[in-house]
Amino acid sequence: MQTTLAIRKIEIERQGQLVTDTLAVEEPLEIRVESLGLSARSVSITMRTPGRDKELAVGFLFTEGLIKERADVLAAEPCGPSGNVIKVSLAPNATIGLNRLQRHFYTTSSCGVCGKSSIEALKTQSPFNVVGKFTVEREVLLTLPDKLRAAQRTFDSTGGLHASGLFTPDGQLLDAKEDVGRHNALDKLIGHAFLARELPLERHVLMLSGRISFE
């Protein structure tokens, strides 16, 4: 999502001028969960670029360990007049790890670790036991940055978004997600794969436009 705004552009040794610039939008998203015997509860408010909010919410819940499998999620839909709230309805028999949610309710788009309340909470646990060897040819790896960059449509006009791309071993781009936050871009990608029952993606290549952080 993007918007336009009038700005004053100043260049060295040149007089400032008013121009129209395109900016990446950042808005808060509240993620709520509900299930049988559990009333709707807010678990996080994160700053994100609007779009793919359903995937972002589900990806966040999965990567935080609150949900484990596709059958845990009955629906994920926006609610409220603002459109900045996603309610995830969980199956009655879902194993909900709400006690593992160690983030504070507000998390920024720039830093995942900052929202953690303890060092122990950084040890994210995956439900998948991925084993085996997987290699990618050097020539294939060298082609991935340009392919991901070509898929960053919003970055083309704003210059202000991160991206996460999912590739096949031979370098075919399967999916790409953009967001002002690098964590959000990856959660959107993971959330899409989660809803499509494609996890654990053990024979795929993940490329990030930003750094790969500890968590």
Side-chain angles (χ1 to χ4, degrees):
M1 183 176 180
Q2 59 194 44
T3 187
T4 57
L5 185 71
I7 66 170
R8 180 172 294 279
K9 183 177 181 180
I10 300 177
E11 298 180 358
I12 297 176
E13 297 181 353
R14 296 185 63 180
Q15 187 175 1
Q17 57 180 324
L18 290 176
V19 298
T20 299
D21 196 17
T22 303
L23 306 176
V25 174
E26 182 180 39
E27 294 181 358
L29 176 70
E30 179 182 355
I31 301 173
R32 299 177 184 174
V33 296
E34 68 171 6
S35 66
L36 184 65
L38 177 70
S39 58
R41 171 180 172 181
S42 176
V43 297
S44 178
I45 299 176
T46 184
M47 300 301 295
R48 97 302 187 196
T49 299
R52 302 292 184 177
D53 290 338
K54 178 178 178 178
E55 288 94 334
L56 173 57
V58 172
F60 173 86
L61 295 177
F62 175 76
T63 56
E64 287 292 331
L66 272 73
I67 55 178
K68 298 295 185 183
E69 56 186 0
R70 179 62 180 87
D72 289 341
V73 178
L74 297 179
E77 302 295 340
C79 63
S82 68
N84 284 337
V85 179
I86 292 287
K87 182 174 66 176
V88 181
S89 300
L90 304 178
N93 59 343
T95 302
I96 310 169
L98 287 178
N99 60 323
R100 295 197 67 248
L101 184 67
Q102 296 296 322
R103 288 181 188 264
H104 300 298
F105 279 172
Y106 172 78
T107 60
T108 71
S109 59
S110 60
C111 181
V113 169
C114 297
K116 298 289 187 178
S117 60
S118 71
I119 297 298
E120 199 65 27
L122 293 175
K123 298 178 180 179
T124 304
Q125 298 178 359
S126 170
F128 302 110
N129 183 23
V130 179
V131 296
K133 295 182 179 180
F134 176 47
T135 60
V136 180
E137 295 295 329
R138 176 181 180 273
E139 291 73 16
V140 172
L141 288 176
L142 294 177
T143 68
L144 302 188
D146 288 342
K147 291 179 180 178
L148 180 59
R149 177 64 184 84
Q152 294 182 251
R153 297 183 178 88
T154 307
F155 184 89
D156 283 339
S157 54
T158 66
L161 292 180
H162 284 289
S164 292
L166 185 69
F167 294 85
T168 62
D170 61 359
Q172 177 186 354
L173 178 63
L174 299 176
D175 193 11
K177 297 291 187 287
E178 289 184 290
D179 197 279
V180 68
R182 56 190 173 85
H183 293 270
N184 293 340
L186 183 52
D187 278 346
K188 288 178 178 181
L189 190 71
I190 292 174
H192 178 84
F194 178 92
L195 292 171
R197 304 179 188 273
E198 295 173 347
L199 295 178
L201 299 172
E202 71 273 21
R203 293 194 61 80
H204 292 74
V205 181
L206 173 67
M207 181 171 182
L208 312 179
S209 63
R211 65 186 179 91
I212 299 177
S213 57
F214 173 86
E215 70 279 16

